[in-house]
Amino acid sequence: MSIKLQQLRHFVMVVEEGGFRAASNRANRSQAALSTSIKELEKNLGQALFESGNKSKLTPFGEICLPKVIQFLNVYSALDNDLRAAAAGQQGRVRIASVPSVAAKLIPSVLGAFCEQFPNVEVSLIDDNAAGVEARLLSGEVDLALGNSSHLEDGAIEFTPLISDPIGVVCLKDNPIASQNEGIEWQTLLQQPFIRNGTCKLLDPTPARALSEQALYSVENITSLFSVLELGIGITTLPKLAFPTNETRLVWLPLIDPPLQRQIGIFRLTERTISPQAQAFHDLCVTYLNYDE
């Protein structure tokens, strides 16, 4: 016969309550049932826990057992709480990969709400380009990814659209085209030196790909791109979310011919069950970010 958890609990209750009668009330068991539970424990251990003449007094063996049993029950209780908390998403870790523009402008609102609801969950956020975000998800490095729907591997990834992000032209404020703040056609940009960046792939299915094809410069890093743009040596196209709200020297103008948008959404692997805490972050993204610009 093996030792039962309930028997250990009954043993501690008798000690804490000072006798079988009070312990039976606390355990909501009859005194006879509690006594039987203790006798079975003593039989399993091969030693008496309480003195025969004084059922509330521990034997020397009982004195040895008490702190060990209490320690075990505390560890068990902590384990039980931790596992239940993890199952409810209250503990653990969420790993997220995101394109920089989404990480900077959209995730903070979600992260604030998530941290308030799940203060003990660790969050790891990795910035990467759209292809890198997909690769990190497919490799299992992250639980969720936020990025552009143009980078998808059929069947392997489930994509939930969240927001439409319009594509526009970025140039210096003193550039003559900057006055066209209601929108600009791509043909009017052909005489401007063009700087290609990673998001210019969005132009490829349209006639505006001619801008990218004639580019004199190519800059992938977004910070370096803005530094080059501020030199006034060219213009580029960027999604609106990628344009800093506090920018003072540059301006973003909507591209109206062709009108282009990238679809931003959240990715997860189709055949992988994510943790409760990752599911909670996923659901908060859908709640907070599911709107159109």
Side-chain angles (χ1 to χ4, degrees), residues 71-85 91:
Q71 181 183 27
F72 168 78
L73 291 176
N74 288 339
V75 170
Y76 175 86
S77 179
L79 174 64
D80 182 62
N81 291 336
D82 287 349
L83 294 179
R84 292 180 186 277
Q91 290 183 0

Side-chain angles (χ1 to χ4, degrees), residues 2-18:
S2 59
I3 297 172
K4 297 179 180 178
L5 184 64
Q6 194 74 332
Q7 293 171 348
L8 298 177
R9 287 174 171 160
H10 289 162
F11 167 56
V12 174
M13 284 183 191
V14 172
V15 175
E16 291 178 344
E17 298 298 326

Side-chain angles (χ1 to χ4, degrees), residues 31-85:
Q31 189 170 338
L34 191 69
S35 179
T36 299
S37 177
I38 297 297
K39 287 179 180 178
E40 288 178 352
L41 177 59
E42 291 175 327
K43 183 178 180 180
N44 288 334
L45 294 173
Q47 291 281 347
L49 295 167
F50 296 96
E51 297 288 357
S52 58
N54 185 349
K55 290 296 184 180
S56 64
K57 181 176 175 57
L58 289 171
T59 63
F61 176 69
E63 296 280 1
I64 294 173
C65 291
L66 181 62
K68 297 181 182 295
V69 172
I70 291 175
Q71 181 183 27
F72 168 78
L73 291 176
N74 288 339
V75 170
Y76 175 86
S77 179
L79 174 64
D80 182 62
N81 291 336
D82 287 349
L83 294 179
R84 292 180 186 277

Side-chain angles (χ1 to χ4, degrees), residues 194-208:
F194 194 82
I195 304 170
R196 184 169 53 243
N197 66 77
T199 69
C200 291
K201 294 182 179 69
L202 297 166
L203 302 178
D204 289 349
T206 76

Side-chain angles (χ1 to χ4, degrees), residues 100 219-230 242:
V219 182
E220 292 291 326
N221 181 271
I222 193 71
T223 302
S224 300
L225 175 64
F226 283 110
S227 297
V228 173
L229 287 167
E230 289 178 356

